[in-house]
Amino acid sequence: MNDLSAFLVTKKWPAEHPERLQLYSLPTPNGVKVSTMLEETGLPYEPHLVRFDTNDQMTPEFLSVSPNNKIPAIIDPDGPGGKPLALFESGAILIYLADKTGKFMPHDPAERYEAIQWLMFQMGGVGPMFGQLGFFHKFAGKEYEDKRPRDRYVAETKRLLGVLETRLADRAWIMGNDYTVADMAVFPWVRNLVGFYEAREIVAFERFPNVARVLDAFLTRPTVVRALDIPKRG
């Protein structure tokens, strides 16, 4: 039996199956990235819901595994050398799971770094910029009389979509014919942009047909359909 009792997070979210990878998350775009990867790889895992409405992410237990108070985080009881490993940051987790399973990351060294660069494109650009647009377009920021902040993020979101549109012009997925961690990182955010953030019109999403095509392909994968509701909201 794997013993995870040394991890404070397990005091708040006890592991019923400590031999499985433990996922602490919420089905936001960053959470969906990792739940998608877990569903795609078939790794046994146990999901735990981190509720933002009760500030679970600010508790000492969660901060012990994710000091930046962001979801998702994992504990792998069978980490490197057979020892448990805790990780936060969705991009780092995707790379780790790809390396652990040998799946969804190119094996050719040059192509591997190319995939990682597109993963970083999401981490440094798509996620933060789409998130800011969501704030200024849908949430409290929409009440600001000065629309320059909103328009700044609209323009940057369009630019990022344009980068993706060009990349996907002659490709089934970001890396070509192979579906990778780059797609798992980018397309939950595109879905959120045109869905939850209700920004389809303001970013003129019809101007990006290749992005729309690949988003549709992403959302038809049964693994993705399941991942969109993991962990289930209580």
Side-chain angles (χ1 to χ4, degrees), residues 12 50-59:
K12 184 173 178 63
V50 179
R51 300 182 62 104
F52 289 175
D53 59 340
T54 55
N55 286 324
D56 282 352
Q57 75 275 21
M58 301 303 297
T59 60

Side-chain angles (χ1 to χ4, degrees), residues 144-201:
Y144 296 178
E145 291 185 12
D146 186 347
K147 297 304 179 187
R148 286 176 296 179
R150 183 203 65 182
D151 292 346
R152 168 183 170 83
Y153 292 113
V154 169
E156 181 62 4
T157 295
K158 287 180 177 179
R159 190 190 69 80
L160 292 166
L161 288 170
V163 173
L164 275 175
E165 180 70 13
T166 299
R167 176 69 176 180
L168 295 169
D170 57 353
R171 297 168 181 266
W173 299 101
I174 289 173
M175 286 299 296
N177 291 327
D178 294 331
Y179 169 75
T180 69
V181 293
D183 304 292
M184 294 183 213
V186 167
F187 286 99
W189 276 101
V190 178
R191 172 182 178 265
N192 215 57
L193 175 73
V194 299
F196 183 65
Y197 290 159
E198 301 171 356
R200 179 182 293 270
E201 183 176 346

Side-chain angles (χ1 to χ4, degrees), residues 33-203:
K33 285 191 266 182
V34 172
S35 57
T36 296
M37 182 62 166
L38 289 167
E39 287 292 310
E40 295 280 8
T41 61
L43 283 170
Y45 71 100
E46 182 178 349
H48 303 278
L49 180 68
V50 179
R51 300 182 62 104
F52 289 175
D53 59 340
T54 55
N55 286 324
D56 282 352
Q57 75 275 21
M58 301 303 297
T59 60
E61 293 87 353
F62 186 71
L63 290 171
S64 71
V65 73
S66 181
N68 197 32
N69 67 270
K70 305 295 183 184
I71 62 95
I74 64 168
I75 298 175
D76 183 359
D78 185 26
K83 297 179 180 179
L85 174 70
L87 281 177
F88 70 99
E89 281 294 336
S90 57
I93 295 170
L94 287 177
I95 294 171
Y96 171 73
L97 294 175
D99 288 348
K100 179 181 177 71
T101 61
K103 297 179 178 179
F104 304 109
M105 181 75 82
H107 296 293
D108 175 80
E111 291 183 357
R112 171 185 168 84
Y113 283 111
E114 188 178 352
I116 291 174
Q117 88 179 345
W118 284 100
L119 173 58
M120 296 300 106
F121 166 79
Q122 183 279 307
M123 297 291 294
V126 167
M129 298 301 103
F130 287 16
Q132 292 287 356
L133 174 56
F135 173 79
F136 285 105
H137 177 61
K138 181 173 181 177
F139 298 109
K142 70 182 180 181
E143 300 173 359
Y144 296 178
E145 291 185 12
D146 186 347
K147 297 304 179 187
R148 286 176 296 179
R150 183 203 65 182
D151 292 346
R152 168 183 170 83
Y153 292 113
V154 169
E156 181 62 4
T157 295
K158 287 180 177 179
R159 190 190 69 80
L160 292 166
L161 288 170
V163 173
L164 275 175
E165 180 70 13
T166 299
R167 176 69 176 180
L168 295 169
D170 57 353
R171 297 168 181 266
W173 299 101
I174 289 173
M175 286 299 296
N177 291 327
D178 294 331
Y179 169 75
T180 69
V181 293
D183 304 292
M184 294 183 213
V186 167
F187 286 99
W189 276 101
V190 178
R191 172 182 178 265
N192 215 57
L193 175 73
V194 299
F196 183 65
Y197 290 159
E198 301 171 356
R200 179 182 293 270
E201 183 176 346
I202 198 171
V203 300

